[in-house]
Amino acid sequence: MTEKNTLTVRDNRTGEEYEVDIADGAVRATDLGKIGKTDDSPGLAVYDPGFTNTASTRSAVTYIDGEKGILEYRGYPIEQLAEHSTYLEVAYLLVNGELPNQKQHEQWVHDITFHTFVHENLKSFMQGFRYDAHPMGQLLSSVGALSTFYPEARNIKDPETRMAQVVRLIAKMPTLGAWSFRHAQGKPYVYPDNDLSYTENFLSMLFKMSERNYDADPRLVKALEVLFILHADHEQNCSTNAVRSVGSSQVDPYSAVSAGIAALYGPLHGGANEAVLRMLKRIKTKDNVPAFIEGVKNGEEKLMGFGHRVYKNFDPRATIIKKAVDDVFEVTGVNPLLEVAQELEKIALNDEYFVSRKLYPNVDFYSGLIYEALQFPPEMFTVLFAIPRTSGWLAQWIELVDDPEQKIARPKQIYTGQRTLDFVPAAQRWA
């Protein structure tokens, strides 16, 4: 019997059968839409809240195998990139589809380094925020404002113009993120230093005070590089979907990326590591962990930083980030909450309740501890997520723009409201 890559569907309402093509383990929703379609009735639609089993695009940027705990950027394992690469090299890989040669790398680093400065009017724009404005709100607004400084960015079909905006966005995100941090603290903004690397420059703009030169500990720089690499992209998550959905209208990349930042702002997406930190602080000590575990089992407590919607056995990023924790604490001193986290992880990984539910530490479990050790307030955690994720958003956006199959996003709905009501004028309704 010859194997056919098709699906035979029988509509039991009519008895009619349909043959639907299967490609890459998927069927086209438009093919399903032909089932049961008549002049008086629409065809079959797929109802999938949250897009849990709906592919909206073909992508070559990031590969994830949730069952095996595999994460690859353009085919390269995340473990190798985190150990041997730099964030800017990974950003080049994501955006351009391949690793740079020496000349390409030098030009890429040069271009990004010399685009870290922002227009003074944008500085004035940020200074207009209230003293207690959330850093993510500032970042969201200022990235959107960049579109007014570069009106040529609307010409998204021109590769040269498009790449200029990509460089600008990757370069300016650390500046805007650092300035939102300084603004919240009432400190003067620190301008970029072109003699420093990407992550060193970011740390300088965050923490430099009166010293002539800011010298960051290389262990902290490496830890931040690793965190940036781990967060650079993660397939079709909520914020990436937002970038692609807004970008499908063929808007400029600044507006599309600001949509991604807005999605990341939500506590269910970018705020997970902050929730972990709050949980650990509530537990307080190692001795309180067993009681907390029992509370989780009884539905009285919520375990944050464990499990993942995609990864079903372990999060490969968590293994890498756990090593970075040790390097950071060598410099900053050990956070007392680390002992709580380690005890929580130890018990959960050996308790059948959690093992059977495939609850294991994810990337957010330890990242909050690192950020706090680096003296970041919790409201900055998501900004630190958004800065490296910009390269992934832009890689996905470029892919979207170049994909001839992509159309403006317009999901179907299943209407559940009333129909054919007769309007009653206000004078009669209120009489």
Side-chain angles (χ1 to χ4, degrees):
M1 183 175 180
T2 304
E3 182 179 342
K4 297 176 66 177
N5 283 328
T6 61
L7 178 71
T8 300
V9 181
R10 179 184 176 87
D11 187 345
N12 291 325
R13 298 170 299 178
T14 62
E16 190 171 355
E17 288 191 351
Y18 301 83
E19 191 169 359
V20 180
D21 289 331
I22 301 173
D24 300 320
V27 298
R28 286 186 175 270
T30 51
D31 288 343
L32 294 180
K34 299 172 184 177
I35 298 175
K37 184 177 178 61
T38 65
D39 292 339
D40 300 321
S41 175
L44 198 64
V46 177
Y47 180 58
D48 188 11
F51 306 110
T52 57
N53 194 37
T54 299
S56 61
T57 185
R58 295 176 182 271
S59 178
V61 179
T62 297
Y63 174 79
I64 295 176
D65 186 328
E67 295 294 337
K68 297 179 180 178
I70 295 174
L71 171 61
E72 297 174 353
Y73 295 162
R74 300 288 190 180
Y76 292 95
I78 191 66
E79 294 84 358
Q80 294 179 19
L81 293 173
E83 184 175 358
H84 302 295
S85 191
T86 65
Y87 170 69
L88 284 187
E89 188 175 30
V90 169
Y92 184 97
L93 169 68
L94 290 171
V95 169
N96 294 282
E98 59 185 11
L99 289 169
N101 59 36
Q102 184 176 351
K103 183 177 179 181
Q104 290 168 332
H105 182 262
E106 290 174 354
Q107 186 65 50
W108 175 251
V109 172
H110 174 274
D111 291 345
I112 288 178
T113 300
F114 282 86
H115 279 90
T116 52
F117 283 81
V118 299
H119 198 287
E120 284 294 296
N121 286 357
L122 191 60
K123 177 184 175 183
S124 301
F125 172 80
M126 295 189 70
Q127 288 173 328
F129 286 108
R130 273 175 53 110
Y131 69 93
D132 58 351
H134 196 289
M136 274 295 280
Q138 296 182 57
L139 186 67
L140 165 64
S141 302
S142 55
V143 169
L146 281 174
S147 65
T148 66
F149 288 85
Y150 305 106
E152 71 275 14
R154 292 193 294 269
N155 185 16
I156 65 171
K157 293 297 184 180
D158 179 61
E160 187 174 335
T161 301
R162 199 166 60 198
M163 187 53 66
Q165 316 316 314
V166 168
V167 168
R168 284 168 175 159
L169 259 170
I170 294 174
K172 298 179 192 307
M173 283 292 285
T175 307
L176 298 176
W179 285 7
S180 69
F181 173 75
R182 303 281 292 201
H183 183 88
Q185 295 190 325
K187 295 177 180 177
Y189 299 173
V190 175
Y191 286 101
D193 185 342
N194 289 345
D195 291 330
L196 300 177
S197 71
Y198 190 80
T199 45
E200 287 174 325
N201 190 26
F202 180 50
L203 289 170
S204 172
M205 290 187 287
L206 287 165
F207 300 122
K208 184 178 178 182
M209 294 302 290
S210 58
E211 64 268 38
R212 184 176 180 86
N213 296 305
Y214 181 82
D215 294 319
D217 190 293
R219 290 168 293 183
L220 298 183
V221 173
K222 175 59 178 176
L224 195 58
E225 285 273 2
V226 169
L227 284 166
F228 277 11
I229 290 171
L230 296 181
H231 285 120
D233 195 60
H234 206 241
E235 205 221 45
Q236 304 305 312
N237 52 79
C238 177
S239 57
T240 299
N241 180 64
V243 170
R244 279 182 169 269
S245 183
V246 172
S248 71
S249 72
Q250 298 191 353
V251 74
D252 66 88
Y254 302 103
S255 299
V257 167
S258 66
I261 297 172
L264 196 63
Y265 201 169
L268 293 183
H269 190 8
N273 48 19
E274 184 178 347
V276 170
L277 203 58
R278 287 197 302 267
M279 176 190 71
L280 295 176
K281 288 181 177 180
R282 194 170 69 253
I283 298 173
K284 291 183 180 179
T285 68
K286 175 182 176 180
D287 295 337
N288 294 333
V289 171
F292 176 81
I293 290 289
E294 287 305 311
V296 172
K297 293 180 180 179
N298 296 330
E300 300 164 357
E301 297 283 0
K302 191 168 184 180
L303 184 64
M304 306 303 298
F306 278 71
H308 195 277
R309 178 155 160 181
V310 174
Y311 299 113
K312 303 306 179 186
N313 289 300
F314 70 95
D315 184 340
R317 301 169 300 171
T319 305
I320 299 168
I321 209 170
K322 190 175 179 181
K323 296 177 183 177
V325 169
D326 297 332
D327 294 335
V328 170
F329 286 157
E330 277 185 14
V331 181
T332 65
V334 176
N335 187 330
L337 294 178
L338 176 62
E339 189 178 55
V340 179
Q342 289 173 331
E343 183 67 13
L344 187 61
E345 179 184 24
K346 177 183 175 182
I347 293 177
L349 290 180
N350 291 281
D351 191 303
E352 181 58 27
Y353 177 90
F354 301 100
V355 173
S356 63
R357 289 165 173 77
K358 297 185 177 181
L359 296 175
Y360 46 83
N362 59 38
V363 70
D364 299 307
F365 187 65
Y366 281 106
S367 62
L369 288 173
I370 292 179
Y371 292 151
E372 187 180 56
L374 294 173
Q375 301 179 0
F376 291 113
E379 56 268 22
M380 269 296 292
F381 290 0
T382 319
V383 173
L384 295 164
F385 194 150
I387 291 170
R389 182 55 59 89
T390 299
S391 60
W393 287 333
L394 290 168
Q396 300 273 351
W397 174 78
I398 292 171
E399 195 174 58
L400 166 86
V401 173
D402 284 338
D403 187 349
E405 283 198 311
Q406 288 298 311
K407 303 174 183 177
I408 186 169
R410 182 64 164 83
K412 275 186 172 291
Q413 68 165 18
I414 298 175
Y415 180 71
T416 60
Q418 295 178 305
R419 299 248 357 263
T420 63
L421 300 178
D422 289 325
F423 177 76
V424 179
Q428 296 179 33
R429 296 199 314 272
W430 300 342

